[in-house]
Amino acid sequence: MTQTSFLAVIRLLSAQALLEQKFSQELGSVHGLSLNDSLLMMHLEQAPLLRLSRVDLAKRLCVSPSTVTRMTLPLEKLGMLGREADVRDARLAYVTLTDTGRKVIGAARQTLERKSKEVFKDRWGADEIEALADLLGRLTASQPNDLV
Amino acid sequence: MTQTSFLAVIRLLSAQALLEQKFSQELGSVHGLSLNDSLLMMHLEQAPLLRLSRVDLAKRLCVSPSTVTRMTLPLEKLGMLGREADVRDARLAYVTLTDTGRKVIGAARQTLERKSKEVFKDRWGADEIEALADLLGRLTASQPNDLV
DNA sequence: CCGATATCTTTCCGAACGCAAGCATTTAGC
DNA sequence: GCTAAATGCTTGCGTTCGGAAAGATATCGG
């Protein structure tokens, strides 16, 4: 007798591995972004001033602060991200989304949306997709600032 | 207007990052296994003869064959996994689950079950957890041999 | 039977990550 | 006002992963 919660967790982990495999390749070859790069930029997209601190981004992405530093470096050199200091707190180094970055993540989002539709193309009703999104939203709701 | 399927995918990716962060640490410090190590051994657990080929494992875990080779190496040295040749096909090198491995993955499973329950502890009804597991099962159903 | 192709596995190389340590700055206690 | 603790960011080191290449074996077509 297997617990339902355990079953749900295992399937969620397996499903993520499947989706990452499906999305990663095209996202990288077409837009030059990794999946985590895209999530980072989408968080910036919906941030108040198109900017977030690095620790804030780390919490939202569930990665270490050092990873954020390393992730933003190449994107900054490509002109997709910028750096901004805080007037009050000299420790903060905000990551900002540039106009170039907005265009790139906009295009990448279209790719993600198209491939997302493909995932549910067969044997899925609109109400079921919505139910899944809703239930997953309750999991991520415990985290700082849900995405989308 | 954001697509529901896109919303579901983004939330699934975020939820996975959250779960991996929650589970990874204790799983590693207590049992010496990574999350992927555990999934690999659980796949072996339910295999017909407690054994699977490396490419088969790679497909089930959605990782490259080289990753399976590297993952199994230390677990083999620790006596949790074994190696078995095929009588008909000399190319195959089955990964087998030893008695030691069965005990270890059994203990790790208990940890995973306990922490899985914690995830849904608050604000979740039994019917909702089951609905989530069911919907996720339809995603992984497209893959070779669903787990659990 | 034999060559061409396909499959299974491993190794090498570069990329990405977490952790611990370190530096700079801010905040809190006295 | 000054020291101690806390916070934000970066760097070095070890670990893990995917892709390409290589070697071994199997299968297929003639």
Tab-separated table of all heavy atoms in Angstrom, chain B residues 77-104:
chain	number	residue	atom	x	y	z
B	77	LYS	N	30.327	0.102	-5.994
B	77	LYS	CA	31.443	-0.083	-5.060
B	77	LYS	C	30.952	-0.219	-3.623
B	77	LYS	O	31.585	-0.857	-2.788
B	77	LYS	CB	32.415	1.098	-5.169
B	77	LYS	CG	33.202	1.101	-6.475
B	77	LYS	CD	34.324	2.127	-6.453
B	77	LYS	CE	35.141	2.036	-7.752
B	77	LYS	NZ	36.186	3.078	-7.826
B	78	LEU	N	29.823	0.397	-3.329
B	78	LEU	CA	29.254	0.322	-1.989
B	78	LEU	C	28.440	-0.961	-1.786
B	78	LEU	O	27.912	-1.211	-0.713
B	78	LEU	CB	28.372	1.541	-1.708
B	78	LEU	CG	29.116	2.872	-1.573
B	78	LEU	CD1	28.143	4.036	-1.490
B	78	LEU	CD2	30.015	2.844	-0.343
B	79	GLY	N	28.325	-1.745	-2.846
B	79	GLY	CA	27.622	-3.023	-2.721
B	79	GLY	C	26.118	-2.932	-2.833
B	79	GLY	O	25.410	-3.900	-2.546
B	80	MET	N	25.596	-1.773	-3.229
B	80	MET	CA	24.144	-1.643	-3.367
B	80	MET	C	23.676	-2.151	-4.723
B	80	MET	O	22.565	-2.624	-4.859
B	80	MET	CB	23.715	-0.185	-3.194
B	80	MET	CG	24.126	0.416	-1.860
B	80	MET	SD	23.513	2.098	-1.674
B	80	MET	CE	24.457	2.631	-0.227
B	81	LEU	N	24.527	-1.995	-5.717
B	81	LEU	CA	24.188	-2.441	-7.064
B	81	LEU	C	25.185	-3.492	-7.526
B	81	LEU	O	26.316	-3.557	-7.038
B	81	LEU	CB	24.200	-1.256	-8.051
B	81	LEU	CG	23.251	-0.095	-7.759
B	81	LEU	CD1	23.370	0.969	-8.830
B	81	LEU	CD2	21.815	-0.582	-7.645
B	82	GLY	N	24.761	-4.317	-8.473
B	82	GLY	CA	25.652	-5.318	-9.052
B	82	GLY	C	25.637	-5.208	-10.558
B	82	GLY	O	24.910	-4.394	-11.135
B	83	ARG	N	26.441	-6.046	-11.177
B	83	ARG	CA	26.533	-6.047	-12.629
B	83	ARG	C	26.329	-7.470	-13.132
B	83	ARG	O	26.863	-8.426	-12.572
B	83	ARG	CB	27.918	-5.530	-13.043
B	83	ARG	CG	28.175	-5.507	-14.540
B	83	ARG	CD	29.567	-4.987	-14.823
B	83	ARG	NE	29.663	-3.587	-14.434
B	83	ARG	CZ	29.652	-2.585	-15.311
B	83	ARG	NH1	29.567	-2.853	-16.590
B	83	ARG	NH2	29.747	-1.349	-14.906
B	84	GLU	N	25.542	-7.583	-14.208
B	84	GLU	CA	25.214	-8.899	-14.713
B	84	GLU	C	25.219	-8.864	-16.232
B	84	GLU	O	24.698	-7.918	-16.830
B	84	GLU	CB	23.814	-9.281	-14.204
B	84	GLU	CG	23.574	-10.766	-14.082
B	84	GLU	CD	22.282	-11.004	-13.319
B	84	GLU	OE1	22.190	-10.614	-12.135
B	84	GLU	OE2	21.361	-11.577	-13.923
B	85	ALA	N	25.785	-9.864	-16.856
B	85	ALA	CA	25.840	-9.910	-18.314
B	85	ALA	C	24.661	-10.703	-18.860
B	85	ALA	O	24.078	-11.538	-18.166
B	85	ALA	CB	27.153	-10.539	-18.764
B	86	ASP	N	24.332	-10.429	-20.108
B	86	ASP	CA	23.254	-11.157	-20.757
B	86	ASP	C	23.834	-12.353	-21.503
B	86	ASP	O	24.897	-12.282	-22.104
B	86	ASP	CB	22.515	-10.224	-21.721
B	86	ASP	CG	21.250	-10.862	-22.274
B	86	ASP	OD1	21.352	-11.861	-23.003
B	86	ASP	OD2	20.168	-10.347	-21.954
B	87	VAL	N	23.102	-13.454	-21.451
B	87	VAL	CA	23.589	-14.664	-22.092
B	87	VAL	C	23.603	-14.508	-23.615
B	87	VAL	O	24.525	-14.951	-24.290
B	87	VAL	CB	22.689	-15.866	-21.715
B	87	VAL	CG1	23.283	-17.156	-22.244
B	87	VAL	CG2	22.519	-15.929	-20.205
B	88	ARG	N	22.568	-13.856	-24.128
B	88	ARG	CA	22.424	-13.733	-25.581
B	88	ARG	C	23.216	-12.563	-26.156
B	88	ARG	O	23.764	-12.664	-27.239
B	88	ARG	CB	20.944	-13.529	-25.928
B	88	ARG	CG	20.014	-14.536	-25.267
B	88	ARG	CD	19.979	-15.833	-26.048
B	88	ARG	NE	19.114	-16.831	-25.413
B	88	ARG	CZ	18.925	-18.049	-25.908
B	88	ARG	NH1	19.545	-18.422	-27.013
B	88	ARG	NH2	18.146	-18.909	-25.291
B	89	ASP	N	23.193	-11.445	-25.437
B	89	ASP	CA	23.757	-10.204	-25.983
B	89	ASP	C	24.884	-9.697	-25.093
B	89	ASP	O	24.649	-9.221	-23.999
B	89	ASP	CB	22.644	-9.151	-26.082
B	89	ASP	CG	23.052	-7.964	-26.936
B	89	ASP	OD1	24.267	-7.704	-27.038
B	89	ASP	OD2	22.166	-7.311	-27.499
B	90	ALA	N	26.111	-9.792	-25.612
B	90	ALA	CA	27.280	-9.444	-24.805
B	90	ALA	C	27.446	-7.941	-24.625
B	90	ALA	O	28.292	-7.497	-23.872
B	90	ALA	CB	28.546	-10.027	-25.426
B	91	ARG	N	26.623	-7.169	-25.348
B	91	ARG	CA	26.722	-5.710	-25.176
B	91	ARG	C	26.069	-5.256	-23.882
B	91	ARG	O	26.504	-4.294	-23.260
B	91	ARG	CB	26.028	-5.008	-26.361
B	91	ARG	CG	26.694	-5.223	-27.684
B	91	ARG	CD	25.842	-4.638	-28.783
B	91	ARG	NE	24.485	-5.226	-28.776
B	91	ARG	CZ	23.547	-4.890	-29.641
B	91	ARG	NH1	23.789	-3.962	-30.556
B	91	ARG	NH2	22.360	-5.462	-29.595
B	92	LEU	N	25.019	-5.945	-23.506
B	92	LEU	CA	24.258	-5.525	-22.331
B	92	LEU	C	25.015	-5.755	-21.032
B	92	LEU	O	25.650	-6.786	-20.841
B	92	LEU	CB	22.917	-6.265	-22.270
B	92	LEU	CG	21.766	-5.634	-23.057
B	92	LEU	CD1	21.982	-5.758	-24.543
B	92	LEU	CD2	20.452	-6.258	-22.637
B	93	ALA	N	24.943	-4.761	-20.172
B	93	ALA	CA	25.509	-4.874	-18.817
B	93	ALA	C	24.420	-4.469	-17.842
B	93	ALA	O	24.283	-3.300	-17.502
B	93	ALA	CB	26.742	-3.993	-18.681
B	94	TYR	N	23.629	-5.440	-17.421
B	94	TYR	CA	22.510	-5.149	-16.534
B	94	TYR	C	22.974	-4.559	-15.208
B	94	TYR	O	24.004	-4.956	-14.676
B	94	TYR	CB	21.717	-6.434	-16.236
B	94	TYR	CG	20.921	-6.942	-17.412
B	94	TYR	CD1	21.248	-8.150	-18.007
B	94	TYR	CD2	19.858	-6.230	-17.899
B	94	TYR	CE1	20.520	-8.637	-19.081
B	94	TYR	CE2	19.118	-6.696	-18.983
B	94	TYR	CZ	19.457	-7.901	-19.564
B	94	TYR	OH	18.746	-8.363	-20.627
B	95	VAL	N	22.204	-3.632	-14.717
B	95	VAL	CA	22.396	-3.131	-13.361
B	95	VAL	C	21.444	-3.906	-12.467
B	95	VAL	O	20.246	-3.951	-12.725
B	95	VAL	CB	22.094	-1.625	-13.269
B	95	VAL	CG1	22.326	-1.123	-11.854
B	95	VAL	CG2	22.937	-0.860	-14.263
B	96	THR	N	21.961	-4.524	-11.430
B	96	THR	CA	21.123	-5.318	-10.534
B	96	THR	C	21.074	-4.697	-9.153
B	96	THR	O	21.993	-3.987	-8.739
B	96	THR	CB	21.663	-6.754	-10.406
B	96	THR	OG1	22.931	-6.693	-9.743
B	96	THR	CG2	21.848	-7.394	-11.768
B	97	LEU	N	19.987	-4.966	-8.457
B	97	LEU	CA	19.819	-4.472	-7.086
B	97	LEU	C	20.181	-5.583	-6.114
B	97	LEU	O	19.543	-6.645	-6.105
B	97	LEU	CB	18.369	-4.012	-6.872
B	97	LEU	CG	18.064	-3.275	-5.574
B	97	LEU	CD1	18.821	-1.963	-5.498
B	97	LEU	CD2	16.560	-3.029	-5.441
B	98	THR	N	21.191	-5.367	-5.305
B	98	THR	CA	21.626	-6.388	-4.356
B	98	THR	C	20.744	-6.376	-3.110
B	98	THR	O	19.902	-5.493	-2.938
B	98	THR	CB	23.075	-6.140	-3.927
B	98	THR	OG1	23.124	-4.893	-3.218
B	98	THR	CG2	23.998	-6.064	-5.126
B	99	ASP	N	20.950	-7.347	-2.224
B	99	ASP	CA	20.198	-7.377	-0.965
B	99	ASP	C	20.478	-6.127	-0.147
B	99	ASP	O	19.570	-5.528	0.434
B	99	ASP	CB	20.581	-8.630	-0.163
B	99	ASP	CG	19.998	-9.894	-0.800
B	99	ASP	OD1	19.094	-9.754	-1.650
B	99	ASP	OD2	20.430	-10.997	-0.442
B	100	THR	N	21.741	-5.744	-0.121
B	100	THR	CA	22.094	-4.504	0.571
B	100	THR	C	21.350	-3.322	-0.027
B	100	THR	O	20.798	-2.486	0.691
B	100	THR	CB	23.611	-4.252	0.468
B	100	THR	OG1	24.307	-5.387	0.987
B	100	THR	CG2	24.012	-3.011	1.251
B	101	GLY	N	21.318	-3.277	-1.348
B	101	GLY	CA	20.627	-2.190	-2.030
B	101	GLY	C	19.143	-2.162	-1.700
B	101	GLY	O	18.557	-1.081	-1.529
B	102	ARG	N	18.558	-3.344	-1.589
B	102	ARG	CA	17.119	-3.411	-1.260
B	102	ARG	C	16.846	-2.821	0.120
B	102	ARG	O	15.843	-2.120	0.321
B	102	ARG	CB	16.634	-4.858	-1.306
B	102	ARG	CG	16.245	-5.325	-2.674
B	102	ARG	CD	14.870	-6.002	-2.686
B	102	ARG	NE	14.826	-7.193	-1.839
B	102	ARG	CZ	15.128	-8.409	-2.266
B	102	ARG	NH1	15.487	-8.593	-3.503
B	102	ARG	NH2	15.042	-9.437	-1.462
B	103	LYS	N	17.738	-3.136	1.051
B	103	LYS	CA	17.542	-2.585	2.404
B	103	LYS	C	17.698	-1.073	2.409
B	103	LYS	O	16.928	-0.355	3.043
B	103	LYS	CB	18.542	-3.226	3.371
B	103	LYS	CG	18.275	-4.698	3.637
B	103	LYS	CD	19.429	-5.354	4.400
B	103	LYS	CE	19.225	-6.873	4.472
B	103	LYS	NZ	20.472	-7.576	4.866
B	104	VAL	N	18.728	-0.598	1.702
B	104	VAL	CA	18.989	0.851	1.694
B	104	VAL	C	17.854	1.622	1.044
B	104	VAL	O	17.374	2.623	1.580
B	104	VAL	CB	20.323	1.146	0.966
B	104	VAL	CG1	20.509	2.650	0.792
B	104	VAL	CG2	21.490	0.552	1.740
